[in-house]
Amino acid sequence: MPITDQEIKELEEKAHQVRKDIIDITGWAGGAHVGGALSVVEILVILYFKYLNIEPNNPELENRDRVVLSKGHAGVCHAAILARKGYFDFELLREFNHFKSSFGMHLDSLKVKGVDVSTGSLGHGLPISVGLALGARVQKKSWLTYCVLGDGECNEGSNWEAAMSAHHFKVTNMVTFVDRNKLMIDGPTEEIMGLEPFADKWKAFGWLVREINGHSFQEIAEAIEYARSENSAPVMIIANTVKGKGVDFMENEVKWHYGGLDTDLIEKAKQSIDRMYKG
Amino acid sequence: MREGLTWTVYDADALTLAEVYGEVLCQLGERYLNIVGLSADLAKSTKISKFGDKFPERFFNVGIAEQNMFGIAAGLAKSGLIPFVSTMAAFISMRAAEQVRTDICYQNLNVKIIATHAGTAFGQAGSTHHCTEDLAIMRSFANMTVVVPADGIETGNVVAASVEHPGPVYIRIGRGFEPTFYENADYGFQIGKSVEVKEGADITLICCGITVRQAVEAAKLLQEQDGLSVRVLNMHTIKPLDEDAVLRAIEETRRIITFEDHNIYCGLGSAVADVIAASGKGCAFSKVGIPDCYSLVGYPEDLYSHYKLDTDGIIEKAREVMGKEFEEDEDWEDEI
Ligand SMILES: Cc1ncc(C[n+]2csc(CCOP(=O)(O)OP(=O)(O)O)c2C)c(N)n1
């Protein structure tokens, strides 16, 4: 049993909070990548509130697990979770995107506590993660690297170069997710640049693949436990998700990749999120 | 060449720079059947989708894969077509730098690049999406022409001119929402030839992109408040640089400031400095831009103000340079 019912209940409460935080921050920021932030909530929540070996009051802890949010545009979700985890005061996020703020849309590792790697330009996170994982191995450290990719992001060739090297160097101290919400900016992934057969591609590159429901804490937990125990090859967790998850008018809507919210829409979005957690 | 193009009738204030170029490209697409378009999951944001919607069989959205996109563009150009490629400046000039240099510039291919969200135009997005390095990078690629239009009208002019301008062209624009500067397209736009948008004899402000409009505003106020006669050059083409205009500015005003939404190293300011140094003449000079740092986060207006690229900042810098000393030299002919 990788996860108890009680744990799931607590994580659902966190996810509920974080979804509403994302809506608030999007409002304060004047706009954010809200769709892809909402689809990745469960993945980041379970990492930060169950699995990661971290100390928020000691963000530079040497043996901490590393997180690389390669789809860095989901910074609003990451920032909300870091705040709720206690890295910094949540109220600071009212300044998100504002002049001279430490928080821009894509989080800066030199400005935001708890962010291990500055991302935002797609296709950088997996190579960096392979480097972090190899670094741990060379230095005989036990920490793990967790990497989260977008599915559209996987168009970038650098991911496949990294995939090849992760297999070649037998990188198994790394857990990698793809947030498979099936949408990018200009449209659905399969219309803009087809990824399927997606799992087979990773398999052909020598990876072990788990396909799960990326909104189920149960399934994410099982996949993470599998990835952590597997020592023969790198593991890819393809997390099937819904872009805009929780907000009815955003779900599966391409146009909500990025958007701003006025008070009316903020209210509607939060009501929709509350309904999700009642049902 | 522009005959028949009607972008000036669009309400340029209501259209972003990118939208104007999208419209212009559509018109050009009708006339030039060899124009093809490419983007990398930013067709809508860059507005090249207007061309894509009109000519779907001549448009390729390659997904989020900029290096691949420029390789494909090189192949399309080799096959005899004229690719117009558009995505964010950062992902062209840095991610795909080698493809642009080796596949396109080295082979002197006819690829037109429209780089959006350049400088700090996407200020809130942070440094991954700022691009204050592209002029430096693109200037250093032999065969490349580098143009920074002042507004939507000029963007239309450059895009139209680029079709008949052989070889690679890098057209750098912002995110959109900047107000227009020109009232119409008929001011004699020519690649490589700067435009004196305001006459003046005491000091020259050499500008490109968003700073042109701000500098003209500043020049008017400096005239009123300080009695200064301020020349403003719209140096839209960074390469090849209009050296004659710079030499005239050295000789006739002896004070020059450059303003650009780019690192102060290796962009417009450095290009102008090269000409000043080679002239052998004393000239009070200052470069204004992003002072070799990763820009702050914020809305572009706040950033332009912070980095002295808006009207107030330009006035402040002009006053500073008016107080600078330079070596007087009456015998102009001996050194030029
Ligand atoms: C190298 C690069 N090219 C383009 C972009 C612009 N961009 C930001 S998000 C995005 C779409 C990402 O799609 P996906 O990876 O599927 O993310 P999600 O749908 O989960 O938000 C694009 C093209 C970028 N950030 N980096």
Side-chain angles (χ1 to χ4, degrees):
Chain A
M1 257 297 256
I3 190 165
T4 64
D5 288 348
Q6 181 57 28
E7 277 179 304
I8 290 179
K9 189 165 164 279
E10 284 167 20
L11 291 174
E12 293 290 0
E13 279 164 21
K14 296 284 183 213
H16 187 176
Q17 179 67 59
V18 168
R19 283 210 156 81
K20 292 211 276 192
D21 291 344
I22 290 170
I23 299 304
D24 277 329
I25 303 167
T26 302
W28 298 329
H33 293 86
V34 59
L38 288 167
S39 62
V40 81
V41 167
E42 280 76 14
I43 295 170
L44 290 181
V45 162
I46 201 170
L47 287 179
Y48 278 92
F49 291 99
K50 178 169 165 63
Y51 284 107
L52 294 182
N53 172 33
I54 45 173
E55 288 176 13
N57 53 11
N58 183 10
E60 297 296 321
L61 177 74
E62 204 196 340
N63 211 36
R64 72 188 185 283
D65 289 331
R66 291 353 188 230
V67 174
V68 181
L69 181 63
S70 191
K71 46 169 279 184
H73 54 279
V76 270
C77 177
H78 200 187
I81 290 174
L82 291 171
R84 293 299 174 195
K85 190 73 192 171
Y87 280 93
F88 46 80
D89 183 0
F90 183 78
E91 289 302 305
L92 286 175
L93 296 174
R94 287 181 180 275
E95 294 292 304
F96 206 94
N97 274 3
H98 295 200
F99 184 42
K100 293 190 180 175
S101 168
S102 300
F103 301 92
M105 264 171 228
H106 308 88
L107 303 181
D108 179 336
S109 67
L110 297 184
K111 291 182 183 166
V112 182
K113 282 206 185 93
V115 175
D116 290 311
V117 173
S118 302
T119 53
S121 177
L122 298 168
H124 289 242
L126 193 55
I128 295 174
S129 298
V130 171
L132 280 164
L134 290 173
R137 182 201 288 170
V138 169
Q139 298 170 86
K140 302 197 169 28
K141 303 286 186 196
S142 59
W143 47 267
L144 294 177
T145 300
Y146 292 87
C147 178
V148 183
L149 304 169
D151 50 2
E153 179 180 15
C154 292
N155 293 170
E156 291 283 2
S158 51
N159 292 296
W160 303 100
E161 296 172 26
M164 228 182 315
S165 48
H167 173 253
H168 184 83
F169 296 127
K170 299 196 171 46
V171 174
T172 56
N173 55 346
M174 176 174 86
V175 180
T176 310
F177 299 87
V178 173
D179 179 2
R180 183 81 174 104
N181 59 32
K182 300 181 189 64
L183 299 181
M184 42 210 282
I185 293 186
D186 282 338
T189 56
E190 298 316 293
E191 277 175 35
I192 301 301
M193 185 50 60
L195 292 167
E196 296 296 343
F198 195 47
D200 289 348
K201 286 194 170 74
W202 292 99
K203 286 178 196 159
F205 276 75
W207 287 50
L208 298 164
V209 178
R210 277 284 179 278
E211 290 182 81
I212 61 161
N213 172 354
H215 298 303
S216 157
F217 284 118
Q218 180 76 40
E219 292 189 30
I220 304 174
E222 282 166 9
I224 291 176
E225 305 269 340
Y226 165 74
R228 300 209 314 180
S229 63
E230 184 54 62
N231 287 323
S232 63
V235 174
M236 169 55 74
I237 302 171
I238 298 179
N240 290 304
T241 59
V242 173
K243 202 158 172 174
K245 176 74 177 174
V247 178
D248 47 13
F249 60 89
M250 293 185 188
E251 287 190 2
N252 290 316
E253 285 290 339
V254 172
K255 70 165 192 246
W256 280 103
H257 174 78
Y258 178 92
L261 296 169
D262 59 17
T263 42
D264 186 40
L265 282 181
I266 287 173
E267 206 36 54
K268 287 197 174 109
K270 286 187 180 172
Q271 283 167 3
S272 173
I273 290 168
D274 286 341
R275 281 197 298 277
M276 168 182 172
Y277 287 96
K278 248 189 221 140
Chain B
M1 206 9 67
R2 299 195 318 271
E3 198 186 328
L5 295 175
T6 54
W7 69 87
T8 47
V9 305
Y10 299 124
D11 181 3
D13 274 328
L15 288 180
T16 64
L17 265 67
E19 283 169 323
V20 175
Y21 104 68
E23 297 287 354
V24 173
L25 206 52
C26 281
Q27 297 185 15
L28 292 168
E30 277 179 15
R31 183 173 319 165
Y32 296 88
L33 302 179
N34 55 350
I35 289 181
V36 290
L38 293 98
S39 190
D41 196 33
L42 286 169
K44 286 186 219 151
S45 322
T46 62
K47 305 295 184 269
I48 200 166
S49 59
K50 284 178 186 281
F51 178 90
D53 291 344
K54 193 160 175 195
F55 306 105
E57 73 293 350
R58 279 153 65 189
F59 181 72
F60 303 96
N61 191 334
V62 301
I64 312 167
E66 295 78 8
Q67 301 180 3
N68 183 37
M69 174 166 66
F70 281 100
I72 291 176
L76 288 164
K78 277 261 178 192
S79 82
L81 297 166
I82 308 178
F84 274 76
V85 189
S86 193
T87 188
M88 293 186 187
F91 311 134
I92 295 169
S93 61
M94 295 182 281
R95 171 63 61 91
E98 198 198 352
Q99 278 79 4
V100 172
R101 182 262 195 191
T102 300
D103 302 349
I104 294 170
C105 293
Y106 173 42
Q107 309 190 79
N108 202 15
L109 295 181
N110 209 12
V111 177
K112 316 303 172 191
I113 301 171
I114 302 174
T116 66
H117 302 69
T120 57
F122 199 4
Q124 321 90 282
S127 300
T128 55
H129 287 59
H130 296 164
C131 191
T132 54
E133 300 84 1
D134 56 338
L135 296 179
I137 296 165
M138 292 296 155
R139 271 182 76 208
S140 71
F141 293 173
N143 292 334
M144 183 65 105
T145 295
V146 182
V147 188
V148 188
D151 69 355
I153 303 255
E154 192 157 81
T155 301
N157 277 340
V158 188
V159 168
S162 71
V163 185
E164 294 287 330
H165 187 88
V169 180
Y170 182 81
I171 301 169
R172 179 199 215 235
I173 63 180
R175 192 176 180 206
F177 315 107
E178 304 84 2
T180 53
F181 170 71
Y182 286 108
E183 277 160 18
N184 64 63
D186 304 318
Y187 54 91
F189 175 85
Q190 220 183 312
I191 289 176
K193 188 114 190 59
S194 64
V195 186
E196 188 174 292
V197 286
K198 199 188 153 299
E199 290 177 0
D202 295 329
I203 183 168
T204 303
L205 312 180
I206 303 186
C207 304
C208 63
I210 50 108
T211 64
V212 174
R213 195 177 62 89
Q214 305 282 351
V216 170
E217 228 21 69
K220 283 184 199 145
L221 292 169
L222 284 162
Q223 176 87 55
E224 281 167 30
Q225 295 170 9
D226 303 22
L228 279 180
S229 162
V230 180
R231 179 181 303 182
V232 180
L233 294 184
N234 172 10
M235 192 62 82
H236 49 68
T237 307
I238 309 300
K239 184 185 159 187
L241 193 78
D242 185 352
E243 298 193 0
D244 289 343
V246 179
L247 290 171
R248 276 196 304 278
I250 304 169
E251 180 175 358
E252 292 163 13
T253 72
R254 303 305 291 269
R255 297 176 194 275
I256 292 177
I257 317 180
T258 57
F259 293 95
E260 62 195 311
D261 183 10
H262 185 274
N263 193 319
I264 50 163
Y265 293 141
C266 304
L268 170 68
S270 298
V272 169
D274 286 354
V275 180
I276 297 174
S279 79
K281 285 289 165 187
C283 173
F285 177 64
S286 178
K287 295 189 288 190
V288 181
I290 313 301
D292 195 32
C293 61
Y294 292 98
S295 162
L296 295 171
V297 162
Y299 286 103
E301 307 76 63
D302 292 326
L303 299 179
Y304 299 152
S305 154
H306 181 80
Y307 293 112
K308 314 280 180 213
L309 297 171
D310 68 347
T311 304
D312 288 346
I314 293 173
I315 290 175
E316 186 186 319
K317 287 289 169 184
R319 287 183 177 144
E320 229 174 81
V321 169
M322 285 312 295
K324 272 196 186 177
E325 303 275 323
F326 60 89
E327 204 164 305
E328 293 288 352
D329 180 353
E330 293 314 315
D331 189 5
W332 187 256
E333 295 307 325
D334 61 346
E335 279 146 82
I336 292 266

